[in-house]
Amino acid sequence: MTLVTFKRLLAIVLVICVGGLALSVWNPALFTGNSYINYLIGENKVTGSAPEGLQRAAAYNVTFFTAEKEASNTTRNETQVLCVEVFPSWTTSDPKDTVFTRRVYLYSAFVALHRAPSTGSYVDIVAFQEGNQLLGLKCCAKIPGQAPSLGGEAAIDFPAMSLKDDPASKDLSVFGLVFRCQFPLTATQLGAGHVTLSPTSCPEDERVYLPVGLPVKKPGELALCGKVAYGHELDPRRLVEWFEMQRLLGVDKIIIYDLNNTETVRKIFSHYRETGLLDPLPYKLPGRNWGRVLAPLNIRNHDESLPIWDCRLRLAGYDYVMGIDMDEVILPRIATRLKPFFNEQFQKHGQTASLFFDVQFFVEEWGPVNSTAPLIFLQYLNSTSPRRECYKYVYIPSRTHQLQTHQVYSYPGHSGMIFLDTNLATIFHYRKCPQGWKSCNPPRITDNNMLRFHDEFVPRALAALKSVGL
């Protein structure tokens, strides 16, 4: 049997990764694109180690090491690269690597608001990683007026994955995860600072650090995480109606991740940002296949999960957070505002972390029932009976450890998945016929619940449509 062994050598190169551009802090020569990484690789060819002078320097966010391969009684050195990149300077087009390169893409960092160690504070870092290798990245913090400080090794807070301590692994598929770092610093100190992950010691250059967010406590307020807004998938008129319906129901803040949307959609986002309702956040997809778009529904889990995890951290100070899409509305049967309704239901259900809702599908192919109504939400009144399909939730951040699109993972002592009776509330889901249905003609009902809001909803929505030029 062929024996293949890999041994890491201490060959650390002083390089800063800035979105595919590798910059040296010691060499005044100017390099563009990926040329400097390739230059350093060339320097390493003879010795298999870092160029003279670099071995004495602290490592930045690119680590070069050689891997010694033994196969069929022959030995050769293989240079490999580990690169940590910070949003928005992610590599999203082919960098034409000349050696095997693995990248970690850091998106955001927040102080963990509801859980803290016995001393110091946790910072959670939301990221993509190429491959299933256990990388052993170190936590670094940079606080104003202080030298960068090295924390311990970054733990994987979520999801619970089986990473491999296997330098030979060549898997470069991209998946999302949340790193957890512990620092001997207060939340206030960290909230004024920056953090990063590094293969070895901590860099000085601030370009490879993320600012640390400190979630603001918003008692009594309700937020909504709308996940990824993606290009061609949004109907502008229905999107405006959706925003206005959320405002009418009492939502205080919405977060949406903007991925390649049209100018029309971005104009709508700008309008609601100016009202204070919306925080639209830029988003892009790194990794192979380079230049990729949102993955197909059956494999897009990590592309959509990363925004959900980021949302949980950003919105940790709110009393309630809904996790629904931009074609869905959580609609009570009797109440007309969501916050008092959620207050009542969570009180009934004790220490639960979340409430889930069955779904009624209002299918576009069925056509409008009330075609003369001025708004789409008032035209489409035929739906399926409530179904336990594509269900979503509202959760209490202080009781919730982590989330997926259709799942809530609660902290100990809190139940994580209680479905409300459909006589109390359901999700109204306005969409085309789901691909997974065997037939687009299931039994249907007529539901007039949305008509209760007609008198308030119509003038609001029509004014907003006019404001955005629709």
Side-chain angles (χ1 to χ4, degrees):
M1 174 179 285
T2 299
L3 174 65
V4 180
T5 60
F6 280 72
K7 300 176 182 177
R8 290 193 184 187
L9 305 181
L10 295 178
I12 307 302
V13 178
L14 180 60
V15 176
I16 304 168
C17 262
V18 187
L21 174 64
L23 304 173
S24 168
V25 299
W26 63 274
N27 192 319
L30 177 64
F31 296 85
T32 60
N34 213 39
S35 60
Y36 193 57
I37 287 182
N38 294 333
Y39 163 78
L40 290 170
I41 291 168
E43 291 292 306
N44 283 345
K45 282 180 180 176
V46 176
T47 63
S49 61
E52 183 179 355
L54 294 186
Q55 295 176 12
R56 297 191 298 271
Y60 274 76
N61 277 16
V62 173
T63 300
F64 282 72
F65 61 90
T66 61
E68 185 181 275
K69 263 188 176 181
E70 298 175 7
S72 302
N73 298 320
T74 62
T75 301
R76 68 182 179 86
N77 285 337
E78 179 180 273
T79 301
Q80 298 188 12
V81 178
L82 171 63
C83 181
V84 178
E85 301 182 358
V86 174
F87 190 86
S89 300
W90 284 354
T91 299
T92 55
S93 58
D94 188 356
K96 303 187 186 304
D97 298 324
T98 60
V99 298
F100 180 79
T101 302
R102 188 187 306 279
R103 290 175 170 83
V104 178
Y105 306 92
L106 309 185
Y107 184 74
S108 63
F110 289 89
V111 175
L113 187 62
H114 300 297
R115 288 294 184 273
S118 56
T119 59
S121 306
Y122 289 132
V123 173
D124 289 342
I125 300 175
V126 181
F128 283 118
Q129 175 178 310
E130 291 181 337
N132 60 351
Q133 189 179 23
L134 188 63
L135 300 177
L137 295 167
K138 307 297 190 301
C139 300
C140 295
K142 192 173 177 65
I143 306 302
Q146 301 181 23
S149 58
L150 181 66
E153 187 169 312
I156 306 297
D157 182 60
F158 193 85
M161 297 178 299
S162 298
L163 298 182
K164 301 175 181 178
D165 189 10
D166 178 15
S169 172
K170 291 299 183 72
D171 175 28
L172 287 178
S173 56
V174 178
F175 57 85
L177 69 167
V178 180
F179 292 99
R180 170 157 285 184
C181 292
Q182 181 177 343
F183 295 102
L185 298 164
T186 67
T188 302
Q189 287 174 310
L190 287 165
H194 294 72
V195 297
T196 193
L197 301 177
S198 177
T200 53
S201 55
C202 294
E204 291 282 350
D205 196 292
E206 290 189 358
R207 289 172 296 176
V208 294
Y209 283 81
L210 287 167
V212 179
L214 184 59
V216 178
K217 294 183 179 180
K218 297 284 189 177
E221 294 198 9
L222 167 65
L224 188 160
C225 180
K227 300 193 305 183
V228 181
Y230 176 51
H232 64 280
E233 295 187 353
L234 294 175
D235 177 307
R237 289 189 64 87
R238 190 172 65 188
L239 181 62
V240 171
E241 292 187 27
W242 181 82
F243 276 116
E244 289 304 318
M245 196 66 212
Q246 304 304 335
R247 291 181 70 186
L248 181 57
L249 290 168
V251 175
D252 299 294
K253 177 64 67 176
I254 298 173
I255 289 182
I256 287 174
Y257 298 80
D258 180 357
L259 179 64
N260 301 326
N261 283 289
T262 65
E263 287 304 312
T264 299
V265 167
R266 286 179 171 165
K267 185 176 181 181
I268 295 170
F269 288 168
S270 178
H271 170 76
Y272 286 102
R273 182 180 63 242
E274 291 173 2
T275 69
L277 176 67
L278 175 66
D279 288 346
L281 301 174
Y283 190 49
K284 55 186 177 180
L285 301 175
R288 296 155 178 84
N289 295 320
W290 299 112
R292 66 193 182 91
V293 296
L294 199 66
L297 284 172
N298 60 328
I299 60 172
R300 70 168 55 171
N301 180 50
H302 291 289
D303 292 348
E304 290 197 329
S305 292
L306 187 142
I308 294 172
W309 303 336
D310 179 83
C311 256
R312 183 188 67 85
L313 298 170
R314 289 181 191 272
L315 300 174
Y318 285 78
D319 275 8
Y320 305 119
V321 179
M322 297 186 292
I324 60 175
D325 292 335
M326 285 166 281
D327 53 6
E328 297 175 329
V329 179
I330 296 177
L331 205 62
R333 283 289 161 194
I334 298 175
T336 59
R337 299 295 184 269
L338 287 173
K339 281 182 282 190
F341 175 71
F342 291 155
N343 286 338
E344 179 184 3
Q345 298 306 314
F346 274 105
Q347 288 174 6
K348 287 181 179 178
H349 292 280
Q351 291 300 306
T352 187
S354 59
L355 299 173
F356 280 72
F357 304 87
D358 290 325
V359 179
Q360 293 177 239
F361 292 86
F362 293 76
V363 179
E364 289 182 21
E365 288 87 342
W366 298 346
V369 172
N370 186 14
S371 58
T372 60
L375 301 174
I376 297 170
F377 282 5
L378 302 177
Q379 292 174 356
Y380 285 80
L381 304 178
N382 281 347
S383 79
T384 63
S385 297
R387 301 164 68 118
R388 195 146 298 180
E389 176 184 349
C390 301
Y391 46 78
K392 302 287 175 53
Y393 49 76
V394 59
Y395 68 92
I396 297 178
S398 62
R399 301 176 182 180
T400 301
H401 173 215
Q402 209 34 279
L403 307 162
Q404 297 281 25
T405 301
H406 305 289
Q407 185 69 48
V408 173
Y409 302 90
S410 60
Y411 284 122
H414 302 284
S415 57
M417 201 166 184
I418 291 179
F419 280 86
L420 277 193
D421 190 302
T422 58
N423 291 319
L424 294 173
T426 58
I427 289 176
F428 279 30
H429 192 172
Y430 297 86
R431 58 164 298 162
K432 292 186 180 297
C433 189
Q435 295 178 0
W437 285 6
K438 293 181 179 179
S439 166
C440 199
N441 291 296
R444 63 189 77 169
I445 61 174
T446 298
D447 192 317
N448 295 320
N449 191 17
M450 185 65 75
L451 298 181
R452 295 189 295 130
F453 300 90
H454 178 281
D455 291 348
E456 285 186 279
F457 184 31
V458 169
R460 284 173 178 244
L462 292 180
L465 287 164
K466 182 177 180 180
S467 294
V468 299
L470 293 176

